[in-house]
């Protein structure tokens, strides 16, 4: 499948559609997942075009992983979950639904506590409040 430059995350990176932003640098962007699996679920994307881990330049993957680690540490500090899951899907068969490389940072609060993947939208107010907590933790680093 060829990379679609109009996929939703490419449009978010270009600022064409809104997101609840958490962090941005020259190479990466982090924002809240619209249908979070838990409180504080965030996504990290490299700014370059690439459908998944297999076809994105390694330096861009590295930049995205660096940001993923920062966001994971900030989410841990902000929400205090006992655990965090980092996921990344490659291809529809693996569960990928948006075809621009992204990493999920999903705080885990209880053993049975995750909501289903990409099912239920959360209000912008809740997403903004959670983003503010992660941003504050990033500032406190
Ligand atoms: P994946 O299945 O790994 O491709 O995950 C895509 C993720 O993007 C899902 O967790 C969705 O809830 C999330 N998502 C879809 N559209 C948006 C959007 N406009 N803003 C933020 N997150 C989104």
């Amino acid at each position: 499948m060829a990379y679609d430059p109009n996929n939703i995350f490419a449009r978010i990176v270009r600022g064409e559609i809104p997101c609840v932003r958490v962090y941005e640098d020259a190479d990466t962007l982090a924002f809240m997942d619209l249908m979070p699996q838990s409180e504080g679920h965030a996504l990290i994307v490299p700014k370059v075009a690439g459908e998944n881990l297999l076809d994105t330049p390694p330096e861009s993957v590295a930049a995205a992983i660096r940001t993923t680690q920062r966001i994971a540490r900030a989410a841990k500090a902000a929400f205090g979950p006992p655990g965090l899951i980092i996921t990344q899907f490659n291809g529809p068969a693996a569960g990928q639904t948006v075809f621009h490389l992204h990493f999920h940072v999903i705080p885990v609060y209880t053993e049975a506590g995750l909501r289903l993947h990409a099912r239920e939208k959360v209000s912008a107010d809740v997403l903004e409040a959670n983003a503010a907590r992660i941003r504050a933790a990033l500032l406190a680093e």
Side-chain angles (χ1 to χ4, degrees):
M1 184 165 43
Y3 179 81
D4 172 8
N6 288 318
N7 74 74
I8 198 144
F9 292 172
R11 298 190 66 202
I12 285 174
V13 166
R14 290 197 298 267
E16 293 170 4
I17 57 171
C19 69
V20 178
R21 196 168 298 242
V22 171
Y23 171 84
E24 182 167 13
D25 61 26
D27 303 312
T28 65
L29 175 67
F31 52 95
M32 301 311 288
D33 195 299
L34 198 56
M35 293 166 269
Q37 289 187 257
S38 72
E39 188 179 29
H41 181 170
L43 300 169
I44 296 87
V45 299
K47 290 185 175 177
V48 302
E51 267 187 43
N52 59 43
L53 190 78
L54 309 182
D55 64 3
T56 301
E59 56 278 10
S60 302
V61 174
I65 282 289
R66 272 195 298 276
T67 299
T68 298
Q69 187 187 45
R70 285 195 71 187
I71 299 303
R73 286 176 170 160
K76 175 89 178 157
F79 301 102
L84 285 157
I85 294 176
I86 311 297
T87 55
Q88 185 277 314
F89 303 133
N90 299 282
Q96 187 176 8
T97 59
V98 178
F99 299 98
H100 179 111
L101 174 63
H102 54 281
F103 293 89
H104 297 255
V105 170
I106 309 174
V108 182
Y109 301 95
T110 66
E111 277 177 26
L114 288 190
R115 294 195 281 274
L116 289 176
H117 180 63
R119 287 291 169 85
E120 241 179 90
K121 280 192 187 169
V122 162
S123 79
D125 287 354
V126 169
L127 293 182
E128 183 49 50
N130 287 339
R133 289 171 69 177
I134 299 177
R135 288 195 294 263
L138 286 169
L139 284 176
E141 271 176 356

